[in-house]
């Protein structure tokens, strides 16, 4: 009995110690931003790019003296949480950032499967959230506090469907997508809709589930349907397996993809099988503006590699938040949200975005081709 | 239609061979210790990574080795080290618990699995690794079928390993000792059988076979990540139970059945999402009608 009481009182003391720094005065002159990123799980390259770009932005802002709001200057402080690329962990990470770290706003998650549940948490907690890379319409749909820095899949599906029809002159197409993932499922359906509206025919619409490694039976079916183009709107860690298995089964048609291909890891894992394929994405380092070139240089200097689309979009998401913060004039969630909603035009490293009163920017997409083991600029498509 | 079915069957045999190899490890350990080694899927994962390490080392040598030699080198390297890992796990984690209730050992096995996953994650980072292509990726056309040399290699090597293991268990002194321990563990030491050594050897064998499976899987699906062993481990476990856990031929049969389930589910059902549903339903139905699995006989000739 005695020891039990001792234990309980010790736990109480420890609890006090634990909460003490948090309950006390938070640093008066700091702006807390949360980053909810896919650091582990099946697409760690996405989380790494997001973290890198956010840290680069925070370092640049702090080095330049911080954020000036009224007569005070604030340092940007980042709280980075790993969402393990799982929907439930993404929601938990958002919750932790909001309630425990009491961040002003959250950047991320990036994958739509994680961004949709996290967006619900942020909306309920009335905390602004900007997703850099989530293109599924559901992320911002019906929400007042959720924004994004990228185009949405209605547009992307249309871009790739048109590209397949007009540039590749395909009459028939096949799609293989992950049915358990919001992003893949959404864009696969948009592609099908727009490809058929443009007069083409989707001859095979096959699915699999996250974690599958063997796609041979779906690909055998697709091969039997003999399509002229195969659309793989899947993440960079799965696409190489799918392409390799397709080629091994003797499927020789053109293969196209979406912005989930954009990581350098794709080239490392995919090798020569991907040569000649096209995909749509958010920006191309080849045609960078002055602003983008500076970002690419700074990023390369700090991390020794070219930033991918997630990095560029995270930088834009953070810049968008800071621009809204300057306009809001005070580190207050409600004011920040109103300022974000009032922004109409924003020039980011991924190009010009215009907002039409929703959280979704209107911006152009680029199509890249994999040529000589590199992502090469092919075309830009404006909405 | 026929070539499509034949193509699917061929793919199923390739996948089933790998499942069968992993199922063997579950079944051997169960046969000898009546314990389910849930870390086995992760031992397979470590085997795949060790094969990768061996292959990368041999490919990185200043003189170019012929591809078959690299393959064999990677195979031996990975099988040896994974066998040692299996022995080590048994020695450190399972042997101290041999007298403890069986549930303790099962929970320990789950813990060992988590340890292996997270240790690999911490050591190598979360990025998936690419397995270098050791076998030329040519597509042979055999009467409408697309066959690759890799597919043939996997199928024949797995068959070779299975036949060798079957002979070992049925024809050698070690195999006799293994069967004896599974038949009556308390009595066997009295006959002078070194029980601990036989159990160690069983773990070594099971782990080495899983490593061979890891190399083949890595060649067939060349993206490795630290969590790859989880799903495959579960499927191999179902294979072992479907075939009759404790029975070696049953594990092989179960492996091929599960390969067929995985490949043919998306053929008949709208999506591969139903794979796990079909596999686990098969398990449940089978356990209702044949609780000992297809080839399992209660308390007779396990291992």
């Amino acid at each position: 009995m005695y020891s039990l009481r001792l234990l309980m009182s010790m736990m109480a003391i420890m609890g006090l110690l634990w909460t003490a720094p948090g309950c006390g005065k938070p640093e008066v002159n700091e702006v807390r931003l949360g980053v909810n990123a896919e650091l582990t799980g099946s697409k760690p390259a996405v989380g790494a790019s997001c973290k890198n770009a956010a840290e680069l932005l925070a370092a640049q802002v702090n080095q330049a003296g911080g954020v000036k709001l009224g007569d005070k200057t604030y340092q940007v402080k980042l709280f980075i949480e790993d969402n393990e690329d799982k929907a439930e962990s993404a929601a938990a990470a958002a919750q932790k950032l909001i309630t425990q770290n009491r961040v002003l706003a959250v950047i991320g998650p990036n994958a739509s499967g994680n961004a949709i549940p996290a967006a619900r948490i942020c909306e309920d907690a009335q905390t602004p959230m900007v997703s850099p890379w989530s293109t599924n319409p559901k992320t911002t749909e019906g929400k007042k506090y959720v924004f994004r820095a990228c185009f949405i899949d209605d547009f992307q599906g249309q871009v790739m469907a048109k590209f397949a029809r007009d540039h590749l002159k395909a009459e028939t197409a096949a799609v293989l997508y992950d049915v358990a993932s919001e992003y893949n499922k959404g864009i696969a359906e948009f592609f099908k809709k727009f490809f058929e509206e443009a007069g083409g025919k989707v001859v095979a619409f096959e699915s699999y589930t996250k974690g599958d490694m063997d796609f041979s039976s779906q690909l055998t079916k697709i091969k039997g349907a003999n399509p002229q183009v195969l659309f793989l709107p899947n993440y960079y860690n799965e696409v190489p397996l799918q392409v390799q298995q397709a080629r091994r089964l003797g499927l020789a048609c053109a293969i196209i993809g979406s912005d989930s291909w954009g990581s350098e890891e794709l080239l490392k894992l995919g090798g020569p099988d991907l040569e000649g394929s096209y995909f749509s994405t958010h920006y191309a380092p080849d045609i960078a503006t002055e602003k983008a070139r500076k970002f690419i240089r700074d990023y390369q200097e700090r991390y020794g590699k070219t930033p991918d689309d997630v990095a560029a979009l995270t930088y834009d998401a953070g810049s968008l938040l800071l621009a809204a913060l300057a306009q809001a004039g005070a580190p207050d969630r409600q004011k920040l949200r109103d300022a974000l909603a009032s922004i109409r035009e924003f020039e980011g490293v991924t190009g010009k975005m215009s907002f039409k009163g929703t959280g979704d920017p209107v911006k152009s997409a680029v199509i890249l081709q994999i040529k000589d083991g590199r992502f090469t600029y092919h075309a830009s498509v404006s909405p | 239609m026929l070539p499509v079915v034949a193509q699917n069957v061929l793919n199923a045999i390739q996948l089933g061979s790998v499942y069968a190899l992993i199922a063997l490890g579950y079944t051997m350990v169960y046969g000898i210790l009546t314990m389910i080694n849930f870390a086995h899927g992760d031992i397979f994962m470590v085997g795949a990574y060790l094969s990768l390490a061996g292959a990368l080392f041999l490919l990185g040598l200043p003189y170019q080795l012929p591809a078959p030699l690299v393959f064999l080198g990677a195979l031996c390297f990975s099988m040896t080290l994974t066998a040692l890992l299996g022995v080590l796990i048994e020695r450190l984690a399972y042997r101290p618990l041999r007298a403890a209730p069986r549930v303790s050992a099962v929970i320990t096995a789950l813990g060992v699995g988590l340890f292996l996953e997270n240790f690999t994650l911490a050591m190598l980072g979360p990025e998936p690794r690419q397995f270098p292509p050791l076998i030329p990726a040519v597509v042979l056309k055999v009467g409408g079928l697309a066959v690759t040399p890799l597919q043939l290699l996997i199928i024949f090597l797995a068959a070779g390993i299975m036949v060798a293991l079957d002979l070992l268990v049925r024809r050698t002194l070690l195999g006799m000792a293994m069967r004896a321990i599974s038949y009556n563990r308390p009595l066997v030491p009295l006959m002078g059988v070194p029980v601990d050594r036989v159990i160690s050897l069983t773990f070594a064998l099971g782990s080495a076979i899983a490593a061979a499976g890891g190399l083949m899987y890595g060649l067939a699906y060349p993206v490795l990540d630290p969590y790859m062993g989880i799903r495959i481990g579960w499927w191999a476990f179902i294979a072992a139970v479907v075939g009759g856990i404790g029975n070696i031929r049953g594990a092989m049969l179960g492996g091929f059945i599960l390969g067929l389930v995985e490949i043919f589910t998306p053929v008949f059902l709208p999506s591969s999402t139903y794979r796990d549903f079909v596999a686990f339903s098969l398990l449940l139905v089978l356990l209702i009608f044949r609780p000992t699995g297809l080839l399992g006989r209660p308390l007779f000739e396990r291992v």
Side-chain angles (χ1 to χ4, degrees):
Chain A
M1 203 57 215
Y2 173 73
S3 62
L4 185 69
R5 211 176 301 154
L6 184 71
L7 188 73
M8 279 170 67
S9 52
M10 271 174 70
M11 277 168 71
I13 292 166
M14 273 168 68
L16 280 175
L17 287 175
W18 182 258
T19 48
C23 288
K25 36 182 177 46
E27 285 290 307
V28 190
N29 284 343
E30 72 181 25
V31 167
R32 299 174 163 217
L33 293 181
V35 178
N36 188 342
E38 289 76 359
L39 297 178
T40 59
S42 65
K43 28 189 165 299
V46 169
S49 289
C50 179
K51 176 171 176 271
N52 286 349
E55 282 176 342
L56 173 67
L57 178 66
Q60 285 176 344
V61 170
N62 290 341
Q63 230 161 38
V67 187
K68 275 200 183 59
L69 300 177
D71 47 2
K72 275 191 201 148
T73 49
Y74 295 82
Q75 291 279 299
V76 174
K77 185 159 188 215
L78 291 181
F79 288 83
I80 297 169
E81 275 296 312
D82 177 18
N83 62 36
E84 301 166 8
D85 192 25
K86 289 185 203 149
E88 63 275 19
S89 307
Q95 194 82 58
K96 184 178 170 204
L97 288 168
I98 293 167
T99 53
Q100 201 171 318
N101 301 325
R102 287 170 299 134
V103 297
L104 185 63
V106 182
I107 299 170
N110 295 292
S112 293
N114 306 326
I116 293 169
R120 174 76 7 237
I121 301 281
C122 290
E123 178 74 9
D124 290 347
Q126 304 191 325
T127 305
M129 162 178 151
V130 185
S131 171
W133 198 55
S134 163
T135 48
N136 190 298
K138 287 184 203 160
T139 305
T140 56
E141 220 162 56
K143 299 190 183 76
K144 282 166 64 188
Y145 289 84
V146 182
F147 301 81
R148 69 175 110 215
C150 51
F151 50 67
I152 57 174
D153 287 335
D154 299 46
F155 172 60
Q156 189 175 197
Q158 198 171 6
V159 166
M160 283 325 274
K162 273 210 180 123
F163 177 77
R165 283 290 291 143
D166 300 343
H167 184 82
L168 300 176
K169 309 264 181 268
E171 299 285 325
T172 53
V175 184
L176 174 66
Y177 67 98
D178 178 357
V179 74
S181 181
E182 295 275 4
Y183 164 78
N184 313 44
K185 189 163 170 281
I187 186 166
E189 279 160 4
F190 284 120
F191 176 84
K192 182 169 192 264
K193 182 177 151 222
F194 288 114
F195 191 75
E196 290 184 339
E197 273 176 19
K201 191 158 182 284
V202 174
V203 288
F205 196 65
E206 293 294 319
S207 64
Y208 64 95
T209 310
K210 187 175 177 172
D212 283 2
M213 303 282 257
D214 188 292
F215 310 96
S216 59
S217 60
Q218 291 96 324
L219 290 167
T220 304
K221 257 195 203 174
I222 288 173
K223 192 187 163 203
N226 199 18
Q228 286 166 318
V229 63
L230 172 61
F231 183 49
L232 297 174
N234 306 315
Y235 288 104
Y236 69 87
N237 56 329
E238 292 165 329
V239 169
L241 284 175
Q242 293 160 358
V243 175
Q244 265 161 17
Q245 290 176 28
R247 296 300 188 217
R248 260 184 224 159
L249 283 168
L251 200 69
C253 66
I255 295 181
I256 57 174
S258 52
D259 67 314
S260 49
W261 283 32
S263 171
E264 293 279 330
E265 292 281 316
L266 180 85
L267 300 173
K268 271 192 227 157
L269 300 170
D273 288 317
L274 287 160
E275 202 59 28
S277 299
Y278 295 92
F279 66 97
S280 54
T281 188
H282 305 272
Y283 101 124
D286 299 9
I287 52 153
T289 58
E290 184 47 47
K291 193 170 182 179
R293 274 205 294 276
K294 181 180 180 310
F295 163 70
I296 294 170
R297 256 198 326 273
D298 293 344
Y299 192 95
Q300 264 169 341
E301 206 169 286
R302 201 174 153 112
Y303 303 110
K305 54 186 166 193
T306 314
D308 56 15
D309 56 335
V310 179
L313 289 170
T314 304
Y315 195 83
D316 280 355
S319 308
L320 187 67
L321 266 177
L322 293 175
L325 186 61
Q327 204 176 316
D332 174 83
R333 285 176 184 169
Q334 187 59 45
K335 281 189 185 141
L336 178 60
R337 183 262 152 207
D338 294 340
L340 268 172
S342 73
I343 289 180
R344 287 287 169 269
E345 292 283 326
F346 183 78
E347 174 83 37
V349 299
T350 58
K352 194 174 273 169
M353 320 176 186
S354 50
F355 288 87
K356 302 220 160 101
T358 63
D360 304 329
V362 178
K363 59 193 287 196
S364 52
V366 294
I367 292 176
L368 301 184
Q369 186 182 21
I370 298 172
K371 220 194 254 172
D372 307 324
R374 280 186 62 243
F375 295 148
T376 352
Y377 172 74
H378 178 73
S380 300
V381 188
S382 303
Chain B
M1 193 61 213
L2 200 65
V4 174
V5 175
Q7 182 75 58
N8 279 325
V9 170
L10 183 72
N11 295 337
I13 294 176
Q14 177 201 335
L15 190 62
S17 305
V18 179
Y19 284 146
L21 289 183
I22 305 161
L24 285 172
Y26 278 106
T27 225
M28 285 163 69
V29 168
Y30 184 86
I32 204 157
L33 286 177
T34 55
M35 170 206 152
I36 293 163
N37 180 13
F38 278 120
H40 195 63
D42 298 299
I43 292 176
F44 154 80
M45 178 273 294
V46 174
Y49 270 99
L50 286 172
S51 311
L52 173 67
L56 288 182
F57 173 73
L58 291 174
L59 288 173
L61 290 178
Y63 33 88
Q64 208 163 12
L65 293 170
L69 214 61
V70 175
F71 175 82
L72 280 180
L75 186 68
C76 294
F77 176 78
S78 158
M79 284 178 85
T80 314
L81 285 191
T82 314
L84 283 177
L85 175 74
V87 172
L88 201 69
I89 289 174
E90 192 271 330
R91 192 60 154 272
L92 295 179
Y94 303 153
R95 192 173 295 179
L97 292 172
R98 210 172 284 161
R102 218 187 292 169
V103 69
S104 316
V106 169
I107 294 192
T108 308
L110 287 169
V112 170
L114 285 173
F115 170 80
L116 291 178
E117 281 158 30
N118 290 297
F119 184 76
T120 313
L121 184 70
M123 291 298 290
L124 300 176
E127 296 83 21
R129 298 298 170 106
Q130 198 219 348
F131 211 97
L134 300 179
I135 311 296
V138 281
V139 182
L140 312 170
K141 291 272 181 198
V142 186
L145 276 187
V147 186
T148 59
L150 175 66
Q151 232 164 357
L152 299 177
L153 176 80
I154 289 177
I155 293 169
F156 285 111
L157 185 61
I161 290 175
M162 287 186 253
V163 169
L165 183 73
D166 200 66
L167 288 177
L168 183 135
V169 170
R170 276 161 210 276
R171 299 281 167 81
T172 65
L173 208 58
L174 173 65
M176 196 197 275
M178 284 160 73
R179 280 181 290 142
I181 292 175
S182 86
Y183 192 67
N184 190 334
R185 181 138 50 97
L187 197 69
V188 164
L190 305 178
M191 312 292 185
V193 176
V195 175
D196 280 345
R197 204 189 307 157
V198 174
I199 291 176
S200 285
L201 280 171
T202 308
F203 269 87
L205 263 178
S207 306
I209 293 173
L215 173 58
M216 292 179 208
Y217 196 84
L219 283 171
Y221 310 101
V223 175
L224 307 187
D225 77 89
Y227 298 114
M228 65 188 280
I230 301 176
R231 199 191 77 92
I232 298 161
W234 277 113
W235 275 63
F237 170 63
I238 304 174
V241 176
V242 164
I245 195 153
N247 184 303
I248 285 188
R249 289 181 180 174
M252 301 174 193
L253 178 67
F256 289 112
I257 291 176
L258 267 280
L260 287 169
V261 166
E262 172 148 358
I263 296 292
F264 277 93
T265 301
V267 175
F268 293 112
L269 293 175
S271 167
S272 73
T273 315
Y274 298 99
R275 268 175 194 169
D276 292 283
F277 165 75
V278 174
F280 282 92
S281 304
L282 174 78
L283 179 71
L284 287 178
V285 171
L286 195 87
L287 286 182
I288 293 169
F289 294 104
R290 271 195 80 94
T292 53
L294 288 174
L295 298 187
R297 270 158 291 179
L299 287 179
F300 186 70
E301 212 187 55
R302 281 191 311 229
V303 161

